[in-house]
Amino acid sequence: MGRIGYSMQCQEVTRVFRPGQDVQYRYLAHGLIVNSQFSLPQLRALSPESAQTPDVTIVFGPVAEPVVSQPGHRRGLIRGQFRYEVREGRHIVIDRLRGFVAKNVADGIMSRVLTVLVYQRGMLPLHASAVATANGVVGICGQSGAGKSTLAAALVAAGGVIVADDILVLGHAGTFEVFHGACGFKLSDASLHHIGRSSVGLDLANEVEGKYFLPVASNGPTTPLLLDRVVLLREGSPEITPASRLEALAEWTNCVRMPELINTAPNAKAVWQRWADLTTAIDLLYVAHGRRMAALSPIVAYLNTPYALTH
């Protein structure tokens, strides 16, 4: 599954780049090296010895109020906590508002601002978690609250390796490689209990969802991984069924992260085509667990069993 490119850990590693400069953090996010003046504890921290030129910079600064949404430029407001501006898939400015809460800002950057950034770089962000299993990388798509993180955490508890949570970025055309994202899961008390964990000692991911952030150690490769199959979560009694290509195409709005922002991509049609191509090249399964934690065990066992599906 590739070589180890960096030493990764789900904890803060700080580095001062020049005397008198604000402390900065260095992370790996969606295949990009990110230098940030803001702590982003949900990302994989890079060793301070890493001296490569960053792909992305996140800095504090003023951001004007009018919303802008066009190719290569997005400006907006998130949760009344901060304004942001993203340009050309490289530069992010964060303007924290009065009364901001650091964890809310960090979570907003993770879930929304970085989504804008990858669109601007011409990549496709899926609304998905992902785990590397013995049978390849499984992407788990679905709407908010569908159980993506819960199923992914159960797969990790069964021996899998976390790849991403909530946002899974598909690389450029010609490959179905995915990049590493978050270094842990956002989980409710009930989900934590199912995998044998407690919320004691864990921090809330934000003050909105009531979910805790569970860091997950990963010493796996930092190089992109080939996506093997995609699980499409849906409501209903527990079952697993193959999804046809037409069904998968219709799941666009459930499986693509914030599709309303696709207009910020340099070529929105090409980004949409990535999803259409994926539905042809990758096996897709409908999975329903009826929001019953007990149903997750047989689903995990199935996804860990060698298989042979044909389109």
Side-chain angles (χ1 to χ4, degrees), residues 12-17 21-29 32-46 52 54-60 90-94 96 102 105-107 109-110 113-114:
E12 298 294 39
V13 176
T14 62
R15 179 181 181 186
V16 178
F17 290 93
Q21 185 183 38
D22 288 340
V23 171
Q24 295 200 20
Y25 304 88
R26 175 162 284 201
Y27 301 103
L28 181 68
L32 305 169
I33 297 175
V34 179
N35 279 4
S36 174
Q37 291 183 344
F38 200 83
S39 171
L40 300 171
Q42 294 179 30
L43 282 179
R44 300 169 186 267
L46 291 179
Q52 286 188 261
D55 302 293
V56 179
T57 57
I58 303 176
V59 300
F60 299 128
R90 297 185 62 87
H91 307 290
I92 298 173
V93 180
I94 301 298
R96 297 165 295 180
V105 176
D107 190 67
I109 293 172
M110 278 289 301
V113 178
L114 290 183

Side-chain angles (χ1 to χ4, degrees), residues 92-289:
I92 298 173
V93 180
I94 301 298
D95 189 356
R96 297 165 295 180
L97 302 180
R98 185 186 300 274
F100 80 92
V101 177
K103 66 180 63 178
N104 292 345
V105 176
D107 190 67
I109 293 172
M110 278 289 301
S111 62
R112 302 191 187 190
V113 178
L114 290 183
T115 298
V116 174
L117 182 117
V118 297
Y119 270 129
Q120 289 185 0
R121 297 183 76 94
M123 298 187 290
L124 177 64
L126 300 179
H127 196 183
S129 299
V131 175
T133 72
N135 297 315
V137 176
V138 178
I140 305 166
C141 291
Q143 295 179 322
S144 296
K148 301 181 295 295
S149 300
T150 305
L151 178 54
L155 282 167
V156 168
V161 177
I162 183 173
V163 176
D165 185 45
D166 202 45
I167 172 173
L168 177 66
V169 175
L170 193 66
H172 294 283
T175 177
F176 293 99
E177 293 179 330
V178 291
F179 296 99
H180 292 273
C183 62
F185 298 111
K186 294 194 293 186
L187 298 168
S188 65
D189 269 318
S191 296
L192 286 165
H193 177 75
H194 177 74
I195 62 172
R197 294 297 301 264
S198 166
S199 61
V200 175
L202 298 179
D203 293 326
L204 284 170
N206 57 64
E207 294 187 341
V208 179
E209 298 174 298
K211 293 182 178 180
Y212 296 88
F213 181 66
L214 176 66
V216 179
S218 174
N219 294 316
T222 60
T223 48
L225 302 173
L226 285 174
L227 184 62
D228 187 68
R229 54 181 160 173
V230 172
V231 165
L232 308 171
L233 293 181
R234 64 179 178 181
E235 297 288 343
S237 300
E239 66 172 350
I240 302 172
T241 56
S244 70
R245 183 172 186 245
L246 286 178
E247 288 174 321
L249 282 171
E251 294 288 346
W252 156 262
T253 55
N254 293 330
C255 292
V256 172
R257 180 79 182 167
M258 301 177 71
E260 68 275 12
L261 294 177
I262 195 172
N263 69 317
T264 64
N267 186 334
K269 182 178 178 180
V271 174
W272 186 89
Q273 186 64 45
R274 296 292 287 129
W275 174 252
D277 293 343
L278 183 148
T279 63
T280 299
I282 303 294
D283 288 322
L284 297 107
L285 296 171
Y286 273 122
V287 171
H289 52 72

